[in-house]
Amino acid sequence: MTKIATKKLEFEFQDQIKKNYPLSKNSWFGVGGNASTFYSPQNKKDLKTFLKNFKFKKIITIGSGSNILFKDSGFKGLVIKLGKEFSKIEVSNSSIVAGAAALKNKVSDFAKKKGIGEFEFLSAIPGNIGGGIIMNSGCFGSEISDIVEQITIMDYAGNEKILKRNKINFQYRESGLPENYIVLEVLFRKTKKMLNSTIEEKIQNIKNEKKTSQPSGIRTGGSTFKNPINNKKAWELIKQYGCDKISFGRAKFSQHHCNFIDNTDLASSKDIQKLIKETQKIVQKNSGIKLELEIIIA
């Protein structure tokens, strides 16, 4: 591409690109350094054009920031956050279609209004649908992979394709999708029709259970560690070996649920990472179990 063409493209995208953007604005933890380049495309066409013409050594795609911890040093590369056009939710041939930037609770509300069941659990999970696909979000016995028919993705080279459910290696809290895939849209499978009142009752039961079992009103990133397969839950291991009492600077676990980090006091990212590593070290030393992260550190 010529310098003139590059300058023209840079001008076209100037409203969507920010330099040295503070990532603390896009993390529920409320901490983190700056992104070298922060890009928020408004539609698929813009995203494709951008990726095909601008190259970066490091790229990460984020959603609402509900489960990501940015380092104090920031991200030396491109951070992509999909814009409003990717938040659409609609019904197509009796199936719900949601853009990757649509919040999970909004999808649950939409399904309720349409009398479509099996989306109730999404009401209790923070963040957007795209991130939910990447980590196969779930709670109280349900996972997003249970209701997916197919997804539309774009790789970092700007190539778009559709993946059917049977081509996605969903497992507990992971999808197996390559890191260079950006989820654009999700087509959910047809699920059973239900009375709005029945759906609302299920949603309220789920929310009540969440309120009882998980902390609220704090700065956190959701569950810190995945639950080990065929073993005690992560919070049980944390508590058993006294890690729930550990703190580094202002970094500490929630007193309500010790698999959640309470960052209300705005600890540094460095201290939060120290808390995480020390907990992993102690649990592994005493139980032989390596606690795997559920949050993302970038």
Side-chain angles (χ1 to χ4, degrees):
M1 186 186 297
T2 65
K3 288 185 178 181
I4 295 176
T6 300
K7 287 292 183 183
K8 184 180 177 182
L9 266 178
E10 287 176 349
F11 178 78
E12 289 178 4
F13 286 104
Q14 63 179 335
D15 293 336
Q16 299 175 16
I17 300 173
K18 295 180 176 65
K19 296 292 186 179
N20 296 317
Y21 183 81
L23 292 169
S24 58
K25 292 183 177 181
N26 282 271
S27 169
W28 282 27
F29 282 110
V31 296
N34 294 349
S36 301
T37 305
F38 186 90
Y39 173 54
S40 185
Q42 294 307 302
N43 54 57
K44 189 164 59 176
K45 180 183 176 183
D46 283 352
L47 178 61
K48 180 175 289 191
T49 301
F50 184 90
L51 291 173
K52 284 187 175 294
N53 288 281
F54 297 99
K55 303 303 176 185
F56 294 83
K57 289 184 178 180
K58 290 179 65 179
I59 302 176
I60 187 172
T61 305
I62 65 171
S64 64
S66 60
N67 75 323
I68 190 164
L69 174 65
F70 292 111
K71 296 177 181 177
D72 297 318
S73 57
F75 188 83
K76 310 305 179 188
L78 172 68
V79 175
I80 299 173
K81 180 174 181 175
L82 302 180
K84 289 184 178 180
E85 287 293 314
F86 295 94
S87 299
K88 293 180 178 178
I89 311 169
E90 57 191 1
V91 173
S92 177
N93 296 323
S94 301
S95 295
I96 291 178
V97 180
L103 294 173
K104 299 182 190 78
N105 62 349
K106 296 293 185 183
V107 174
S108 178
D109 286 344
F110 182 87
K112 180 182 70 175
K113 290 174 183 176
K114 297 296 181 180
I116 301 174
E118 298 184 33
F119 288 76
E120 297 84 7
F121 73 100
L122 292 179
S123 65
I125 308 177
N128 60 25
I129 288 296
I133 292 295
I134 295 296
M135 68 173 294
N136 191 18
S137 297
C139 65
F140 307 124
S142 297
E143 295 178 329
I144 202 166
S145 57
D146 299 335
I147 52 175
V148 170
E149 179 68 28
Q150 66 181 40
I151 66 173
T152 303
I153 64 94
M154 186 178 291
D155 64 25
Y156 288 164
N159 303 307
E160 181 183 346
K161 65 179 175 179
I162 291 173
L163 296 177
K164 295 291 186 181
R165 167 66 179 81
N166 60 4
K167 297 297 182 182
I168 307 171
N169 187 28
F170 282 118
Q171 296 182 52
Y172 172 67
R173 297 298 175 267
E174 59 182 75
S175 62
L177 292 173
E179 290 184 0
N180 67 328
Y181 277 11
I182 303 170
V183 179
L184 304 179
E185 185 179 84
V186 180
L187 170 66
F188 293 97
R189 66 174 176 79
K190 291 180 174 66
T191 56
K192 59 184 178 183
K193 298 287 286 185
M194 293 172 62
L195 293 173
N196 293 64
S197 57
T198 302
I199 294 174
E200 178 60 29
E201 183 180 356
K202 287 189 173 186
I203 288 174
Q204 287 307 314
N205 288 339
I206 288 170
K207 287 183 176 180
N208 289 338
E209 187 172 352
K210 179 181 179 181
K211 188 175 181 180
T212 301
S213 62
Q214 296 182 13
S216 61
I218 65 171
R219 282 189 176 275
T220 188
S223 296
T224 307
F225 302 105
K226 299 177 184 178
N227 288 322
I229 304 298
N230 300 322
N231 212 301
K232 291 182 177 180
K233 292 185 179 296
W235 74 264
E236 292 177 308
L237 292 165
I238 293 169
K239 194 172 187 68
Q240 180 177 349
Y241 299 112
C243 300
D244 57 322
K245 303 294 192 298
I246 297 173
S247 64
F248 286 90
R250 294 189 293 273
K252 60 186 178 182
F253 287 111
S254 165
Q255 293 182 348
H256 190 79
H257 191 309
C258 59
N259 195 23
F260 288 73
I261 289 171
D262 180 352
N263 199 37
T264 304
D265 295 332
L266 291 179
S268 67
S269 179
K270 184 177 181 180
D271 281 343
I272 294 173
Q273 290 176 69
K274 284 181 180 178
L275 177 61
I276 288 168
K277 289 179 180 177
E278 184 66 13
T279 300
Q280 289 174 315
K281 178 182 174 181
I282 291 172
V283 169
Q284 186 165 25
K285 180 180 178 181
N286 287 279
S287 69
I289 297 169
K290 174 69 180 292
L291 288 176
E292 294 183 19
L293 281 173
E294 186 163 320
I295 63 169
I296 297 166
I297 299 177

